[in-house]
Amino acid sequence: MAPNIQRRIDSSSVDGDVEDTRIRCALLGCGMMGQEHISYILGYSQEIRIDYLCDPFGPSLDKALKVMREFDVDPLVTMREPTLFTDEQDLLDCVDQIDLLVIASPNYMHTPTLLKWGRFDLTILCEKPVAVSQAQHDELILASQDPLWRARLWVAMEYRYIPAIAKLLSLLPEIGDLKMVTIRENRYPFLHKIGKWNRDREKTGDTLVEKCCHFFDLFRLITGQEADLTRVRALAQRGVNYKEEVDAMETPIIDSAYVTLPFKKRDSNGAVSWSNTIGCLELCMFAEGSRHQEEIIVTGTKVFVVVLDLPPVVRLTSLTCFMQSTGSLEAYLPENKVYMYQRPSHELWSDRSVPPPTHSIKEQIFDCSDVKGVHGIDSDIPTHGGYHYCSTAVEWYHMLNQIREYRRGGDFTPQVSMVDGLRAVEIGIQATEALVNDIRD
């Protein structure tokens, strides 16, 4: 993760004669994701400042300060030196001086932190997942329904904003009624975290919650439908990774899985009907070096209407013919491209005793390297890649727009709400509980 510009910083405060009305931000958790958020926050330093960093692990605070120095790129804005805490209670005592809290702590701490901070009038960006168990899930629902809940919550689902995925979403109308959605991730094992918390099923909800809530969120976003939880099925394997680690967990976390999801539709009146859309997630976390780390393939059926107007001598009436043609979209990462295909018509593939000729299949390729172009953003945004293909910068762009609107007296409307975050967790919990074959090795 390299910054656009590197230079020395002046850590003195903003000129005392000028009122600083920027958003006052605090980060709770300064590990890898906390540091990524810092790198992008500083790209918007004309409207937001980092006043507090909190992490119980001193080296993480040191790394966060180093990132602040590397990514302070705006010569017109002078960076403040943040106050450092190692205890969340000390940070909570400063809540009146905080406009925006970023929660990037270990997963099992997200719900307890939200329960503490949710009763205050501030905006919260909480990393996924918002909960790691059914008990935490239920606690959050109850708390958010309490009249004392005041916080405005945005759940960090960076994958929504990855350029190739955003482009795929924009092209969905081109392929019509969705039939199948396949998401594949072939990647390296989980990285080392402090205290090995990400190896502990109790602290992560296991891999289908910890890692795959991103993908279950995308299934919901792509289809515009809800998974039928009673019919979710899964196969999984454990014990392939981490065997050589000292003090390995007695029951290792999931290393690979297939999850199938049927969907259901809900109309504006809340009535539920069955859908003919199906989804499949494939995860393998011992596949370093795969050509594509993530793949999303969406297949739909688009109906083309052709009106045949016959000559008067033979015409009794105009005839309308309906011709059905299936299209598909394929997004690949890190290639960062989207491919759109349309099945050949009967005219182009007339001899069905042989495979379709190459020229009969229509292909369009969309290069998604222009982040601002894909997202339709005219203003400047930080464009270093980070760990999520610059998607975190886009996430911040949209969230800051909502904070700005709220400050003007409008509504704060998160693009990823608590409901969205909990629905993704629900699918992960159900998939874990529904395992048909839980192979140890």
Side-chain angles (χ1 to χ4, degrees):
M1 182 172 67
N4 299 18
I5 303 171
Q6 294 193 35
R7 64 179 182 82
R8 291 189 61 187
I9 63 173
D10 176 2
S11 60
S12 60
S13 62
V14 174
D15 189 343
D17 295 332
V18 180
E19 183 183 4
D20 190 349
T21 60
R22 291 179 294 168
I23 299 162
R24 301 168 298 177
C25 181
L27 280 93
L28 179 57
C30 296
M32 187 182 76
M33 277 310 304
Q35 292 163 30
E36 172 156 326
H37 283 298
I38 290 170
S39 74
Y40 288 109
I41 291 170
L42 292 175
Y44 297 103
S45 57
Q46 292 197 25
E47 57 181 319
I48 184 171
R49 71 191 200 215
I50 298 173
D51 284 2
Y52 300 98
L53 297 176
C54 183
D55 197 295
F57 189 60
S60 292
L61 287 172
D62 293 338
K63 288 181 181 178
L65 286 172
K66 181 180 178 183
V67 171
M68 289 188 69
R69 296 185 177 97
E70 289 177 347
F71 283 82
D72 175 39
V73 298
D74 192 336
L76 300 178
V77 179
T78 306
M79 190 190 78
R80 292 170 174 261
E81 191 75 16
T83 300
L84 306 182
F85 292 126
T86 57
D87 190 317
E88 182 184 347
Q89 184 58 50
D90 292 332
L91 183 64
L92 189 59
D93 291 341
C94 301
V95 65
D96 292 339
Q97 304 300 315
I98 298 170
D99 302 313
L100 170 62
L101 175 70
V102 178
I103 301 174
S105 52
N107 295 359
Y108 65 98
M109 301 175 70
H110 294 174
T111 293
T113 298
L114 286 170
L115 295 176
K116 292 178 192 173
W117 292 78
R119 58 194 178 93
F120 295 103
D121 181 16
L122 78 167
T123 302
I124 299 176
L125 174 68
C126 181
E127 267 300 325
K128 62 80 191 168
V130 291
V132 299
S133 66
Q134 190 65 49
Q136 286 194 348
H137 168 281
D138 295 346
E139 279 187 292
L140 273 183
I141 290 179
L142 286 175
S144 64
Q145 295 170 347
D146 191 312
L148 295 178
W149 182 279
R150 301 173 65 198
R152 298 167 295 282
L153 177 63
W154 183 302
V155 180
M157 290 286 191
E158 289 85 7
Y159 278 44
R160 288 187 174 211
Y161 304 101
I162 291 174
I165 294 176
K167 186 64 179 179
L168 179 143
L169 290 167
S170 73
L171 292 170
L172 288 175
E174 299 297 321
I175 63 171
D177 186 31
L178 301 189
K179 298 296 183 184
M180 298 181 68
V181 182
T182 302
I183 299 179
R184 305 177 67 222
E185 181 171 54
N186 292 306
R187 57 163 283 170
Y188 47 85
F190 281 126
L191 300 176
H192 287 279
K193 301 289 184 181
I194 296 163
K196 298 173 63 173
W197 66 263
N198 64 338
R199 307 289 197 265
D200 188 336
R201 294 187 303 153
E202 298 300 318
K203 293 181 177 179
T204 65
D206 216 331
T207 307
L208 297 183
V209 173
E210 198 284 343
K211 182 75 192 74
C212 299
C213 65
H214 265 311
F215 301 125
F216 296 136
D217 178 64
L218 289 179
F219 278 113
R220 294 182 63 244
L221 187 63
I222 290 169
T223 63
Q225 302 173 28
E226 299 295 346
D228 179 4
L229 296 180
T230 64
R231 300 165 65 204
V232 170
R233 298 291 182 268
L235 294 167
Q237 293 176 312
R238 301 179 186 273
V240 178
N241 293 320
Y242 321 120
K243 291 179 179 179
E244 76 289 350
E245 294 185 356
V246 178
D247 299 326
M249 298 294 170
E250 183 177 349
T251 303
I253 56 176
I254 291 171
D255 295 307
S256 62
Y258 289 103
V259 180
T260 57
L261 307 88
F263 292 90
K264 57 186 179 183
K265 297 179 180 178
R266 189 183 301 273
D267 64 22
S268 57
N269 297 319
V272 175
S273 61
W274 301 119
S275 167
N276 58 7
T277 305
I278 56 177
C280 180
L281 170 69
E282 175 189 325
L283 174 73
C284 181
M285 299 196 65
F286 44 89
E288 301 92 325
S290 297
R291 179 183 175 189
H292 296 124
Q293 182 167 307
E294 289 95 8
E295 304 176 8
I296 301 179
I297 301 173
V298 184
T299 308
T301 300
K302 187 164 185 175
V303 177
F304 299 91
V305 180
V306 181
V307 178
L308 301 179
D309 214 4
L310 301 178
V313 292
V314 296
R315 182 178 64 191
L316 297 177
T317 183
S318 292
L319 300 178
T320 301
C321 284
F322 292 89
M323 194 167 63
Q324 210 169 43
S325 177
T326 302
S328 66
L329 295 167
E330 302 178 6
Y332 296 105
L333 296 168
E335 187 177 353
N336 213 13
K337 290 182 180 178
V338 176
Y339 295 77
M340 183 164 67
Y341 297 98
Q342 183 179 318
R343 290 179 66 191
S345 64
H346 283 279
E347 289 75 16
L348 293 175
W349 183 22
S350 56
D351 183 359
R352 298 284 169 136
S353 67
V354 296
T358 302
H359 72 270
S360 69
I361 300 173
K362 295 182 180 179
E363 177 190 65
Q364 286 182 266
I365 303 174
F366 301 87
D367 188 328
C368 303
S369 55
D370 180 2
V371 178
K372 292 171 58 177
V374 168
H375 286 277
I377 297 173
D378 295 327
S379 57
D380 290 334
I381 64 171
T383 55
H384 57 276
Y387 298 113
H388 297 92
Y389 311 98
C390 202
S391 62
T392 308
V394 180
E395 177 180 60
W396 274 95
Y397 170 84
H398 289 296
M399 186 177 66
L400 289 173
N401 282 343
Q402 288 302 312
I403 295 175
R404 201 179 301 121
E405 177 66 20
Y406 181 78
R407 284 185 154 193
R408 291 195 294 257
D411 293 330
F412 178 88
T413 306
Q415 293 187 355
V416 192
S417 66
M418 181 185 290
V419 171
D420 293 320
L422 289 173
R423 290 282 167 82
V425 167
E426 289 169 3
I427 301 171
I429 291 173
Q430 181 59 34
T432 304
E433 291 181 350
L435 287 173
V436 177
N437 188 10
D438 199 359
I439 301 171
R440 176 80 180 247
D441 50 36

